């Protein structure tokens, strides 16, 4: 299957700092990537849809000024958590759909675990 | 909201078949049934998907009822490494993937 990679896999930061997470599609181009968040013992919740060359689309309740998304190329989307606070500690997962393959299955990265102290 | 309901948890003996049910009574004609699984602290892994016909690949089989209101994921010979949360998702092409709580499968030695 298609490969999606995230970096870093784990990050610990101090409260008030910003953290950038990268999501790359390694063997396909993705005009659209998706960012999910998962709190402990909960399911994945879609945060936003990242669109190459245009603004991201955020789900209701997700602050666009806090979670900055940049999709500058067809293989890279970044999520920046600005002024992070302990309540932002979570597992962040990106995904992408290689639209030319199959009938639309989504492939996920390994996830990035953010801990804000 | 997720369009599917699944049991919260299931156990299966190692080496036996694991049959994971999913109800999707409001599924529409264009919506596919997808199955993913998530092993602890990893991103979800695609397993299989189907529209109407039963499907089989190297990982699993997907059995969809004739009225398409429910389906079953079958892992033919479960191993300890199959312990994970399994998500059944109904989705039309172009729609977002909405994850429900899934089924926590424990494969027991």
């Amino acid at each position: 299957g298609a490969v999606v990679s995230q970096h870093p896999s784990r990050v610990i930061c101090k409260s008030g700092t910003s953290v950038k997470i990268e999501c790359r599609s390694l063997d396909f181009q993705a005009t659209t990537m998706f960012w999910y968040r998962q709190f402990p013992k909960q399911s994945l919740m879609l945060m936003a849809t990242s669109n190459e060359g245009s603004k991201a689309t955020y789900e209701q309740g997700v602050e666009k000024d806090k979670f900055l998304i940049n999709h500058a190329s067809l293989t890279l989307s970044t999520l920046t958590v600005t002024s992070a606070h302990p309540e932002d500690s979570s597992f962040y997962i990106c995904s992408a759909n290689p639209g030319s393959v199959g009938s639309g299955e989504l492939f996920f990265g390994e996830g990035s675990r953010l801990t804000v102290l | 909201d997720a369009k599917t309901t699944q049991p919260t948890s299931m156990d299966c003996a190692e080496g036996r078949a694991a049959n994971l049910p999913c109800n999707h009574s409001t599924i529409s004609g264009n919506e596919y049934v997808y199955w993913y699984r998530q092993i602890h602290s990893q991103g979800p892994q695609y397993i299989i998907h189907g529209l109407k016909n039963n499907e089989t690949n190297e990982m699993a089989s997907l059995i969809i009822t004739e009225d398409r209101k429910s389906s079953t994921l079958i892992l033919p010979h479960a191993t300890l490494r199959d312990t994970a949360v399994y998500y059944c998702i109904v989705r039309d092409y172009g729609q977002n993937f909405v994850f429900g709580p899934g089924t926590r499968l424990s494969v027991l030695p």
Side-chain angles (χ1 to χ4, degrees), chain A residues 25-109:
Chain A
S25 55
L26 298 186
D27 51 0
F28 65 96
Q29 293 183 332
T31 55
T32 304
M33 291 185 175
F34 304 90
W35 286 95
Y36 288 81
R37 179 169 56 183
Q38 185 176 33
F39 292 108
K41 300 188 183 301
Q42 296 187 21
S43 190
L44 285 77
M45 295 295 296
L46 180 65
M47 297 176 64
T49 301
S50 171
N51 303 300
E52 189 269 336
S54 64
K55 292 182 179 180
T57 305
Y58 290 82
E59 296 299 301
Q60 191 173 10
V62 178
E63 300 176 58
K64 62 180 181 181
D65 294 331
K66 180 168 186 63
F67 299 99
L68 300 180
I69 291 174
N70 184 285
H71 194 151
S73 78
L74 288 172
T75 59
L76 174 64
S77 174
T78 61
L79 169 68
T80 301
V81 182
T82 63
S83 187
H85 288 95
E87 57 265 31
D88 298 323
S89 297
S90 188
F91 193 49
Y92 292 87
I93 311 168
C94 73
S95 63
N97 176 2
S100 62
V101 176
S103 56
E105 56 265 41
L106 205 58
F107 292 92
F108 289 82

Side-chain angles (χ1 to χ4, degrees), chain A residues 36 38 43 103-104 106 109-110, chain B residues 34 36 38 43 49 91 97 100:
Chain A
Y36 288 81
Q38 185 176 33
S43 190
S103 56
L106 205 58
E110 313 94 324
Chain B
Y34 292 80
Y36 284 79
Q38 186 178 25
H49 75 282
R91 170 193 178 261
F97 282 77

